[in-house]
Amino acid sequence: MPIGERERGVRVTAVLQDIWSGALDKIREIVGPRRFYLWFRETELLSAESGVFHIGVPSRFVAEWLDEHLTEAVHKALSETADACKSVRFVVSPKLFRKVRAAQIEAQQELLEEVTPGKPVRDTNDGQDYSLTSFVVGHCNRLAYAAAKHVADTVDCQLNPLFVHGAVGLGKTHLLRGICASVNATGDRHAFYIPSESFTNQFVASLQHHSLDAFRARFRNVDLLAIDDVHFLADKKATQQEFLHTYDFLRRLGKQIVMASDAHPHTIKCVMDSLSNRIASGMIIRLEKPDYETRVAILHRKLSSHGHSLSKDVLNFVAENIQGNVRELQGAATTLLATGRLLRRRVDLETAREALQPLICARNRRVSLADVEHEVCLTFGVSPEELLSKRRTRSITTPRHVAMYLSRELTDHSWHEIGTYFKRRNHSAAIFAYKKISRRIHDDPPFQDRLRSMISELRGKHT
Ligand code: ADP
Ligand code: MG
C-alpha cells in the first residue's frame, strides 16, 4: 500500500474511533449501563460511507439482536455525534470474533465446571446462615415458611411453582437458599439456586459463546430450581422465553420450581403472559414486614447466635424504632454488639439509644422526593404527569400542595429543590404550598388524618 494511502487509512480509523467513542457515551445514556455492557462492550465502527454506518460486533447473534432491538438508539446516538447518518448496519467483525473466541475457552471451562451434576450450590452467601432452621417464623412469614418447608421436604409437591414475593430485606433469598440447602442435605436430590440476573448473564454469554447446550444442561439436571429476583426478567423477552423452556422441561419431569420477586407476578412489568399464567397455577405467597414480636425474636436470635443477650427494654426499644426490614434489624443488632464490645459492658437503654441514633435518623431521612410523589399519586389517584403539570384544577392542586408539604416535612431537601422537583417556577411555590397545607391541617381533622397515614406509610411505620 503506498505511504499516502496507509496514512489516510490510519487517519480514517482514528476518526471512526472518535465518532464511535462519542456515540458510545450517548448510547450508554440511552440504553442504560446494563444493556450497554451486555451488548456494546465489544463493538467498533468499521466504516461510515455515504451515510451508512457499519458497526462491527463479535457474532451474528449480537448483530441480529442489536438490529432488532437497538438500531434506533444507535442511530440516534450516531446522528448526534456525526453528520449524515442515514442508516446503521451491524456486521460481524472478524477481529472481535477472534477476541471473544479467545475469552470463550476460559468462560466455557468455568461453565462446564459448574454444570457438573451433583455439585453443591456454590457458596456465595458471604458466610451468612441461610438455612431454614435459622429462619425466624412469625405472623408475617408463617405461611411462606410452611410452604418452603413443605417444598423442601416433599417429592412431587403440589405447591408447584412456589412463588414468594415481598419488599427487599424480608427474607425471600433466605427462604430460597434455605430450601436448596435443605434439599441438598438429603444427598439424593439436587437443588440449584440462581438469581435471575445471573441466569440472564449466563444465557447471553452462552449465546455469544455458542455454549447454549452447556447452559441448558446446567438447569435441567436438577430436582429443584430456585430462581431469585424474577422481577429482573421484566422486559427481557428472550431470557424469559429461555426460562420458559427450562420451566416446561423441568415441570414435564415433575421437578419443583421456586421463585422469588419483589412484586406479585401480575405487577411485574412486561412479564410474558405465558410465564405469569404458569406462576398463577402454583402457590403465590407474600412476605410481610416483620411484626413487633417477630422483630424481637429476630433480634434475640441474631444476638444469641453470637453468644450475647440484651435486656428486655433494649430489645423493645430496637424493635419499636427499627421497623423496616430484617436487614435493618440485623444492622442494629450488629451495631449494639460492636458498641458493647467497645465499651466492655452490657448495653443499657441509654447507650442503645445513642448508638442507634444515626440509624434511626437515617431511616427517617431516607424518604425521597420520588417516594413522596409516588405516595401522593397513589393516595389521590392522580398520575405523576398530572401532578407535575401546569394544570390548576383543585383535584390536582391539592395533591400537588400535599406533595410539597410532605417533602418539606419528611426530607432534607431545600425549598428550591422541592419546587424544582415538582416542576414549579420557583421556590416560593413550595413555601406557599407548605403554608396552605399547614393551615388546612389545623382546620380540617379528616384531612389531617389522611396526611398522618401518608406520613406513616412513607416512614414505614405502618406495621
Ligand atoms: P430479600 O431476599 O427478601 O431481600 P434476604 O433473604 O436477603 O431478603 O434477607 C435479608 C437478611 O435478613 C438476610 O441476612 C436474612 O438472613 C435475614 N432474614 C430475613 N428474614 C429472616 C427471618 N425470618 N429470620 C432470620 N433472618 C432473616
Ligand atoms: Mg433477595
Side-chain angles (χ1 to χ4, degrees), residues 128-130 134-138 140-141 166-176 193 228-229 260 287 294 298 301-302 325-328 330:
Q128 279 254 17
D129 180 2
Y130 280 124
S134 69
F135 192 82
V136 176
V137 186
C140 52
N141 56 26
V168 69
L170 296 186
K172 302 180 295 292
T173 296
H174 190 135
L175 280 177
L176 260 57
Y193 166 89
D228 205 352
D229 296 323
L287 275 172
T294 313
I298 286 171
R301 166 73 65 105
K302 169 90 183 170
N325 60 43
V326 181
R327 202 169 283 148
E328 288 171 358
Q330 292 187 333

